Amino acid sequence: MNYSHPDAELVNQPIGYWSWAAHKAVVTHIRAGLAEFGVSQPQWWILNQANDEHGKTRAEVTATLRGYLDVQEALQDEIDALVERGLTVFDDAGLLRLTAEGEAVRLRCAEQQKEMWAQRHDGITDEEYLVTLKVLQRMIHNTGGQAWHH
């Protein structure tokens, strides 16, 4: 791979720009893959939350996902869209559950996400990935930011 700058110059490049560019590239890649199944990224997250043997309430799903990529209130519309499409249902206890069709879509998306993960990580060792995440988390901490992902 050709990098944008020699190491002596790259070390002085702005993290804000490169973390934004990485975010944009990765999220665009993920969303394009999910769109092949007619699923948005928030809907993918919701399908995974509904894949719980005990079910989850709307409030539980929202509490878990509300900080993901600043979707917040849009989650309600995304939950409703999955129900309208017949991929999820609310049972008599008000718990969100996958339908058989929803589980089939979730499984197809999951397989594709594994393939896309491998593509994104091509040539990147687990050790390099771990260091990258620790550096980013330290920068978030150093700037007073907060981030969490389960």
Side-chain angles (χ1 to χ4, degrees), residues 21-123:
H23 162 83
K24 186 175 178 181
V26 170
V27 170
T28 298
H29 184 249
I30 291 168
R31 289 180 176 175
L34 290 169
E36 293 177 24
F37 301 102
V39 174
S40 70
Q41 190 176 28
Q43 288 173 352
W44 164 240
W45 303 329
I46 294 163
L47 288 172
N48 282 299
Q49 291 296 305
N51 184 40
D52 181 308
E53 66 181 77
H54 304 293
K56 291 190 178 178
T57 66
R58 182 183 288 266
E60 289 171 327
V61 170
T62 302
T64 299
L65 301 177
R66 71 175 169 240
Y68 284 28
L69 300 182
D70 297 325
V71 292
Q72 298 170 15
E73 296 308 316
L75 282 171
Q76 302 312 310
D77 292 338
E78 299 285 7
I79 292 170
D80 293 339
L82 289 171
V83 171
E84 290 170 17
R85 191 169 160 196
L87 300 181
T88 59
V89 294
F90 282 100
D91 66 17
D92 293 338
L95 300 174
L96 188 65
R97 305 230 184 234
L98 289 172
T99 63
E101 183 182 356
E103 175 62 0
V105 168
R106 189 192 71 76
L107 288 172
R108 287 193 303 270
C109 288
E111 185 58 35
Q112 184 198 53
Q113 289 303 303
K114 286 180 189 176
E115 293 168 10
M116 292 174 72
W117 171 277
Q119 182 183 6
R120 287 190 307 270
H121 287 245
D122 185 39

Side-chain angles (χ1 to χ4, degrees), residues 8-9 22 52 60 67-68 88 106 115 128 130-131 136 140 143:
E9 293 176 28
D52 181 308
E60 289 171 327
Y68 284 28
T88 59
R106 189 192 71 76
E115 293 168 10
E128 290 171 318
L130 180 62
V131 168
L136 290 172
I140 292 164
T143 58

